[in-house]
Amino acid sequence: MKKAEEQELRFVQSASQKTGQAVIGILLVLTGMLCFVPFWYIVCQSFSSNEAISAGKVGLLPVEFQLDSYLYVLKRAPFWKAAWITVLRVAVGLPLGMFLMVTAAYPLSKGKRFPGRDFYVWFIFFTMLFHGGLIPTYLVVRELGLLNTVWAMILPCAVNVFNMLLVLSFFRQLPVELEESASLDGAGHWRILWSIFLPVSKPVLATVALFTLVQHWNSWFDGMIYMKADRYPLQTYLRSIIISFNFSNLTPLEQMQLSNFNENALKSAQMVIGTIPILLVYPFLQRYFVSGITLGSVKG
């Protein structure tokens, strides 16, 4: 009798777990659709004809498929200049940020072997909770002579504290025996870091690299503050077009060239092109994403 009750209890628990998983799955699908449908509408709009967009015929499929908006955008010098500034920002900011975060996380992962470690960790963590403020940061950037340079968008956010703590937590859960055996063989800290820690830390490094890449690529606010309009990064440039683009501000020649284009189609095409690089990079790093977040979550 008792065995039958236990089997019935297991069956009920199994059924409730499956029901819970089904509900969670449905909620995730709905949430994904809410995020995907607006972007897909922009894609459809960018491939639709000007007449279809003006008539409001575009839905979840392109109407009268055409590439004219993309061809025009790809010929615009301001777009490519903004894209180049963003690429330069990523090319410099990503390796610099990774180097600083890794070299900060390694000594802080030593625990009691690093005197004052807890003080430094809490001091760094404090900066994640309380920021110096926009105006003081701007004044520092200005006094350093970084305004209207790519360094103004790289140095203030070179070390992301959250990402650094992820790397720190991952380093702390690595077996101490790896480091001790390397030390017995005469390896120094730099050799241990580059030859032992980094090769086994690919999940968290890939995750942090993805976070840093997205941060630099999608950031627009610092570009608006620190850069002049002719040196805007891509996302700031796209925002300026979406918010304040006006055909009446163009020269007669530009107005004549744009007379056959729909404003929304041009904006959509530029947004899609600006999103493509992240969409191309993410699949290569996605398989490390979940493990990079969770593997170092046991130890703090």
Side-chain angles (χ1 to χ4, degrees):
M1 186 68 179
K2 185 176 181 181
K3 187 175 182 180
E5 291 178 352
E6 290 178 352
Q7 290 178 347
E8 183 179 357
L9 180 60
R10 289 198 191 100
F11 177 79
V12 172
Q13 290 177 342
S14 177
S16 63
Q17 287 176 352
K18 291 180 179 179
T19 302
Q21 291 175 352
V23 172
I24 293 174
I26 293 173
L27 291 176
L28 290 176
V29 170
L30 292 176
T31 304
M33 292 297 294
L34 288 175
C35 297
F36 177 75
V37 169
F39 176 74
W40 179 246
Y41 175 75
I42 292 174
V43 173
C44 295
Q45 193 169 239
S46 68
F47 286 111
S48 299
S49 66
N50 305 319
E51 295 77 12
I53 297 173
S54 300
K57 297 179 180 179
V58 181
L60 296 181
L61 288 175
V63 179
E64 299 176 7
F65 186 89
Q66 53 86 27
L67 298 173
D68 294 347
S69 298
Y70 287 93
L71 295 176
Y72 177 80
V73 169
L74 294 176
K75 293 178 182 178
R76 297 200 67 197
F79 176 85
W80 287 110
K81 184 177 181 180
W84 165 247
I85 292 175
T86 298
V87 170
L88 180 61
R89 173 181 181 172
V90 172
V92 177
L94 178 58
L96 177 62
M98 293 296 295
F99 175 80
L100 293 176
M101 284 184 283
V102 167
T103 52
Y106 175 74
L108 292 175
S109 67
K110 301 306 175 186
K112 295 181 179 179
R113 289 174 292 169
F114 178 22
R117 177 259 181 193
D118 291 340
F119 168 79
Y120 290 110
V121 170
W122 281 107
F123 182 84
I124 294 173
F125 179 73
F126 180 85
T127 64
M128 188 171 68
L129 302 178
F130 300 95
H131 192 266
L134 178 60
I135 294 177
T137 304
Y138 177 85
L139 294 176
V140 171
V141 172
R142 187 189 67 180
E143 293 303 315
L144 292 175
L146 301 178
L147 289 181
N148 207 36
T149 68
V150 71
W151 294 107
M153 299 181 292
I154 294 176
L155 294 182
C157 60
V159 178
N160 184 291
V161 176
F162 176 77
N163 293 343
M164 192 273 286
L165 292 178
L166 281 180
V167 180
L168 165 62
S169 182
F170 191 93
F171 282 173
R172 291 199 70 194
Q173 59 88 38
L174 294 178
V176 180
E177 291 77 12
L178 289 175
E179 184 177 356
E180 291 177 347
S181 61
S183 299
L184 292 175
D185 291 336
H189 286 297
W190 283 104
R191 169 65 71 179
I192 294 173
L193 174 61
W194 299 114
S195 299
I196 297 178
F197 273 54
L198 295 188
V200 299
S201 302
K202 289 181 180 179
V204 73
L205 294 179
T207 301
V208 170
L210 179 62
F211 285 167
T212 306
L213 173 64
V214 172
Q215 172 190 346
H216 282 296
W217 186 268
N218 287 342
S219 181
W220 61 269
F221 187 66
D222 51 0
M224 184 178 65
I225 295 175
Y226 301 130
M227 309 294 283
K228 295 181 180 179
D230 61 342
R231 287 182 59 82
Y232 274 168
L234 183 59
Q235 301 304 327
T236 309
Y237 169 77
L238 293 177
R239 179 190 177 278
S240 67
I241 290 177
I242 296 171
I243 298 299
S244 59
F245 183 77
N246 192 336
F247 278 78
S248 62
N249 296 331
L250 303 177
T251 64
L253 177 61
E254 290 174 327
Q255 290 182 12
M256 184 176 64
Q257 292 175 340
L258 290 173
S259 59
N260 296 325
F261 291 95
N262 183 280
E263 180 179 345
N264 291 331
L266 293 176
K267 292 178 180 179
S268 299
Q270 293 182 87
M271 286 188 285
V272 171
I273 295 174
T275 308
I276 288 176
I278 295 297
L279 295 179
L280 294 177
V281 171
Y282 183 79
F284 296 99
L285 300 178
Q286 188 270 341
R287 64 193 183 103
Y288 295 111
F289 188 78
V290 175
S291 59
I293 290 292
T294 58
L295 280 178
S297 61
V298 177
K299 295 183 180 181

